[in-house]
Amino acid sequence: MKTTTQSIEQVSINTVRVLAADAVQKANSGHPGLPMGAAPMGHILWSEAMNYNPKNPDWPNRDRFILSAGHGCMLQYCYLYLMGYELSMNDLKQFRQLDSQTPGHPEYGLSKGIEITTGPLGQGFANGVGFAIGQYHLAARYNKPDFPIFDYKIYAICSDGDMMEGITSEAASLAAHLQLGNLIYFYDDNHISIEGSTDLTFTEDVAQRFLAYGWHVQVVPDGNDLEALSIAVKAAQAETKRPSLIKVRTHIGFGSPNKEDTADAHGSPLGPDEVKLVKKNFGFDPEKSFVVPDEVLDYYRKIGKERAKKEDEWNDLYKAYQAKYPDLAKEYELTSNGQLPEGWEQKIPVFPASDEKMATRKASGKVLNAIADSLPHLIGGSADLSPSTDTDLKNYKSFSPDNHEGRIFHFGIREHAMGAVLNGLAVTKGIIPYGATFLVFSDYMRPPIRLAAIMKIRPVFIFTHDSIGLGEDGTTHQPIEQLMALRAMPNVVVIRPADANETAQAWRVAIQHPGGPVVIVLTRQGLPVIDQEKYTKATELEKGAYILSDSEKEPDLILVGTGSEVSLLLQAQVQLKKESIAARVVSMPSFELFDRQSAAYQEKVFPKALRKRLAVEAGAEMGWYKYITDEGDILGMTTFGESAPAEDLFKKFGFTVENIVKRAKALIG
């Protein structure tokens, strides 16, 4: 009997459903319900909507797909395998197993075709906004008449859980304001979360909510209606001024006789007996597992090969573009390969000691503006705090619905979404993004910072107002534990520079740093510029810690600190010398960079035999114990701050030259 087009589509969709149930059952862990309910959406996306090349998943003009509901990742893994990506049937069988290519949530850099790491709900939704901004920005910079080099779209599947998370509201509001018409999101409206029906907690009208934001909204009442899904996607593709949400009513665990539309299909395997019933329901042999009919594999692989032709067409276009616009093509190729323009670092300013006191946030702004012309792919902004964080690029305009070439971003008071948007930008080749807010508000951004560290991508996070030196805003705004909390994250480089020149070098390290986010932590209050003719040059910052000023004789102790406290250590060193106490001063702007240095260098800075060490930092103490030995001491913060001028607070909490001298003398007896 000849198979009709409709029946091969249905058999193919049901194959995905059964594969997902099998993989979750074999792992005895996972979420079978979403893939079973959303398989028709996946089919429309991979067979009709998206442009991609399974053999070259990094093709620059591919459409991006984000599974924001990352718990349903078997949906994505199945389609990557079926379409011909570098994912095998054995990989599906190894779902959620050690060292597999198919972890429990999609992971960027692990499996080809995974655009970004999702897991915490709402992150993928907001990441897509970053992808969309990146596409518009690249198009504005590089596209020319008759050369639409970058015209891709961003697709996502989101869940009820995504819609509940606050980050989604932040990101949706921003996307509508920026008129990101290249966003097309499916909302998998299956009415089920882990605790049961979403009616327990979630009864809002999501469609009306997104209309209020300014999105283009469509509703598909039946998630199995392929024609309706196809029509909705085409309408969304035609909408260029508004992001699109397609609300699709689906049934979690579709095809499971006893668990469809129940929470049991959400976070647990269906069970061996129920999986057999699912297979019977869809016409599969209940005694066989991981079966893909030959006609299904042939059908999907042909579609994958057909989609790959889109890249062939693009390659021809790009060759003509290279010939007509060689400088732009060269620039994009350089930046997208992670290289930096030759000589850019020569633009980094050097600040003389004769300068007046300067807050490191102000120094950072001067550095940013000095290097901006040489780094055309450096773009960013702040969460409504640019006058305070000093992050505007003075010679450039803002990114807006009318100016996608703008390099200044206004994220609004949306710190959580800002972090996730930066991650979406950071995985867009050809862009180095940065974002800024107060250090205390880094708490709002911990999930995206953590995900950036997991993905080993390099957004630059600028956090100002870094201590009790914030002053009069008081306890609620003075960061105490945040600095150490950021240092606790693996694969994050945290830099707290001591003055303007260390700040300049922090930017050099951040721009050149591969494989993870960089956090630059800056002061509100003015700091003296350390004399680089008298003391060690700030270029040593790249080593994380360095001997800023050594004693003339064998030191009796080491004074070590970061940020605004380092200048106090230099003054204390002078005072101690008058009392015949020899102190070495170590500036330690980055624990992480120092820990990467050789054992010989670490011994040079902190000799094992020199165990009297005083660490001084206006933040939580706990991380310092690694460096001060059991004979050392810490001058830090063990309480929250208070509301008062910075000078009064530093005096109250003991961050004075006099107290440092006193603590040093007590340390050496």
Side-chain angles (χ1 to χ4, degrees):
M1 181 178 73
K2 186 176 180 181
T3 303
T4 66
T5 303
Q6 178 62 33
S7 63
I8 187 61
E9 289 178 334
Q10 197 58 58
V11 171
S12 299
I13 290 167
N14 292 341
T15 298
V16 170
R17 288 167 162 152
V18 172
L19 271 180
D22 272 339
V24 172
Q25 190 60 49
K26 183 176 185 298
N28 197 29
S29 173
H31 302 256
L34 184 147
M36 295 172 71
M41 281 187 269
H43 174 81
I44 291 296
L45 284 168
W46 268 279
S47 68
E48 291 186 15
M50 296 194 300
N51 294 324
Y52 57 90
N53 182 358
K55 301 305 179 186
N56 182 17
D58 293 328
W59 166 41
N61 200 43
R62 70 194 179 280
D63 290 327
R64 272 61 165 175
F65 172 73
I66 302 168
L67 186 62
S68 190
H71 55 272
C73 54
M74 271 310 303
L75 175 75
Q76 189 169 12
Y77 296 151
C78 286
Y79 276 107
L80 291 178
Y81 160 66
L82 292 167
M83 292 300 172
Y85 286 79
E86 286 184 24
L87 209 63
S88 68
M89 176 62 80
N90 189 57
D91 290 321
L92 300 187
K93 293 178 180 179
Q94 292 301 306
F95 179 52
R96 288 185 168 228
Q97 304 309 299
L98 184 65
D99 297 328
S100 77
Q101 300 297 301
T102 48
H105 289 80
E107 292 190 20
Y108 173 81
L110 183 62
S111 305
K112 297 292 187 182
I114 303 298
E115 299 287 359
I116 199 154
T117 296
T118 58
L121 291 172
Q123 291 294 322
F125 187 106
N127 294 149
V129 176
F131 278 106
I133 292 170
Q135 185 271 314
Y136 273 149
H137 186 72
L138 291 176
R141 182 163 186 83
Y142 295 109
N143 287 6
K144 295 295 179 184
D146 300 321
F147 290 97
I149 302 301
F150 299 108
D151 63 354
Y152 58 87
K153 294 185 182 297
I154 295 83
Y155 296 87
I157 292 178
C158 312
S159 65
D160 290 300
D162 288 293
M163 295 302 159
M164 294 185 208
E165 288 286 358
I167 187 175
T168 296
S169 296
E170 294 182 23
S173 174
L174 180 62
H177 167 73
L178 292 175
Q179 299 177 16
L180 302 179
N182 52 358
L183 281 180
I184 300 175
Y185 284 2
F186 284 98
Y187 165 29
D188 177 38
D189 179 25
N190 63 37
H191 292 197
I192 295 293
S193 60
I194 291 175
E195 293 183 357
S197 170
T198 52
D199 286 346
L200 288 168
T201 60
F202 191 60
T203 53
E204 68 186 44
D205 189 327
V206 174
Q208 288 298 316
R209 170 182 157 197
F210 274 75
L211 283 171
Y213 286 137
W215 283 56
H216 173 242
V217 178
Q218 302 174 82
V219 176
V220 176
D222 179 5
N224 291 312
D225 187 339
L226 296 182
E227 183 179 3
L229 289 171
S230 180
I231 291 171
V233 169
K234 288 181 173 66
Q237 291 170 333
E239 172 60 55
T240 60
K241 291 297 184 182
R242 293 176 294 171
S244 288
L245 182 75
I246 305 172
K247 181 174 177 284
V248 185
R249 177 65 173 105
T250 62
H251 297 274
I252 194 168
F254 182 82
S256 173
N258 299 302
K259 296 191 176 182
E260 181 179 318
D261 286 334
T262 71
D264 290 340
H266 186 284
S268 303
L270 297 177
D273 293 338
E274 189 69 13
V275 171
K276 289 181 179 180
L277 293 176
V278 168
K279 292 175 182 177
K280 284 184 179 179
N281 210 10
F282 290 130
F284 285 73
D285 187 335
E287 302 304 323
K288 294 182 179 179
S289 298
F290 294 96
V291 172
V292 177
D294 290 342
E295 66 268 23
V296 170
L297 190 61
D298 182 59
Y299 170 68
Y300 275 140
R301 291 288 167 88
K302 282 182 178 178
I303 292 173
K305 290 176 181 177
E306 191 66 29
R307 291 282 147 181
K309 293 178 181 178
K310 293 289 184 179
E311 184 185 358
D312 294 335
E313 296 170 6
W314 185 85
N315 287 336
D316 291 339
L317 180 70
Y318 189 72
K319 286 178 183 177
Y321 178 82
Q322 283 178 305
K324 191 165 185 178
Y325 303 101
D327 292 342
L328 283 175
K330 182 179 179 181
E331 178 190 282
Y332 173 71
E333 289 163 17
L334 179 81
T335 57
S336 64
N337 288 327
Q339 298 173 278
L340 297 168
E342 187 175 347
W344 77 271
E345 68 274 15
Q346 295 173 12
K347 300 292 185 178
I348 297 174
V350 176
F351 298 91
S354 58
D355 280 359
E356 294 182 355
K357 283 186 176 183
M358 185 184 304
T360 52
R361 60 174 175 145
K362 294 293 184 185
S364 172
K366 292 179 182 295
V367 176
L368 262 176
N369 280 279
I371 64 178
D373 288 350
S374 300
L375 298 172
H377 54 319
L378 180 65
I379 61 177
S382 78
D384 195 51
L385 286 171
S386 60
S388 298
T389 58
D390 215 326
T391 43
D392 276 356
L393 303 179
K394 309 301 183 187
N395 294 330
Y396 296 91
K397 295 181 179 180
S398 299
F399 184 94
S400 71
D402 301 317
N403 182 22
H404 293 154
E405 199 169 356
R407 292 174 59 183
I408 303 170
F409 284 90
H410 304 282
F411 293 100
I413 307 167
R414 304 182 180 101
E415 292 91 351
H416 196 175
M418 176 174 73
V421 168
L422 291 174
N423 285 351
L425 284 165
V427 298
T428 303
K429 292 184 177 180
I431 292 176
I432 298 178
Y434 66 87
T437 187
F438 293 172
L439 178 57
V440 76
F441 299 142
S442 65
D443 289 344
Y444 290 123
M445 299 173 62
R446 286 184 62 81
I449 297 172
R450 184 174 186 272
L451 287 167
I454 289 171
M455 289 187 278
K456 300 179 181 178
I457 59 175
R458 193 268 321 273
V460 181
F461 299 103
I462 306 168
F463 295 129
T464 68
H465 298 59
D466 68 346
S467 71
I468 57 171
L470 167 63
E472 293 85 346
D473 275 347
T475 314
T476 60
H477 281 52
Q478 291 167 12
I480 301 298
E481 74 281 12
Q482 282 76 13
L483 192 58
M484 282 299 176
L486 289 167
R487 288 172 177 155
M489 277 194 212
N491 205 41
V492 176
V493 169
V494 181
I495 307 174
R496 187 178 183 234
D499 75 336
N501 285 307
E502 278 200 357
T503 302
Q505 293 305 310
W507 269 108
R508 178 176 66 84
V509 169
I511 297 298
Q512 294 176 334
H513 180 72
V518 177
V519 173
I520 304 178
V521 181
L522 305 168
T523 67
R524 177 197 185 192
Q525 74 275 23
L527 304 180
V529 178
I530 296 171
D531 190 344
Q532 294 202 90
E533 300 302 318
K534 182 179 180 181
Y535 300 109
T536 304
K537 293 188 182 300
T539 50
E540 293 297 291
L541 173 137
E542 66 185 10
K543 297 175 182 175
Y546 63 99
I547 301 170
L548 179 61
S549 177
D550 215 349
S551 55
E552 295 175 358
K553 62 175 186 176
E554 191 71 20
D556 298 308
L557 82 161
I558 297 174
L559 303 177
V560 55
T562 74
S564 54
E565 291 73 75
V566 172
S567 60
L568 300 178
L569 299 183
L570 290 173
Q571 296 175 61
Q573 180 192 42
V574 173
Q575 187 62 39
L576 288 166
K577 182 179 178 182
K578 292 178 181 178
E579 301 185 38
S580 300
I581 298 173
R584 167 180 292 179
V585 174
V586 173
S587 177
M588 194 170 187
S590 176
F591 289 12
E592 301 79 23
L593 293 176
F594 180 70
D595 289 346
R596 297 176 185 181
Q597 303 308 310
S598 67
Y601 179 78
Q602 293 182 14
E603 170 67 17
K604 176 185 174 182
V605 177
F606 292 118
K608 292 182 178 67
L610 186 51
R611 300 181 63 78
K612 304 294 186 181
R613 305 173 187 177
L614 176 63
V616 181
E617 186 174 66
E621 297 180 352
M622 63 173 59
W624 281 106
Y625 292 101
K626 177 180 178 181
Y627 304 104
I628 63 166
T629 81
D630 57 353
E631 296 182 31
D633 192 12
I634 306 167
L635 173 54
M637 292 293 296
T638 58
T639 68
F640 294 111
E642 294 185 19
S643 178
E647 297 82 0
D648 295 342
L649 291 170
F650 274 102
K651 184 176 181 180
K652 174 181 174 63
F653 290 104
F655 296 97
T656 64
V657 174
E658 293 75 20
N659 192 45
I660 293 170
V661 169
K662 178 182 176 181
R663 296 282 286 266
K665 290 166 69 175
L667 192 61
I668 63 173

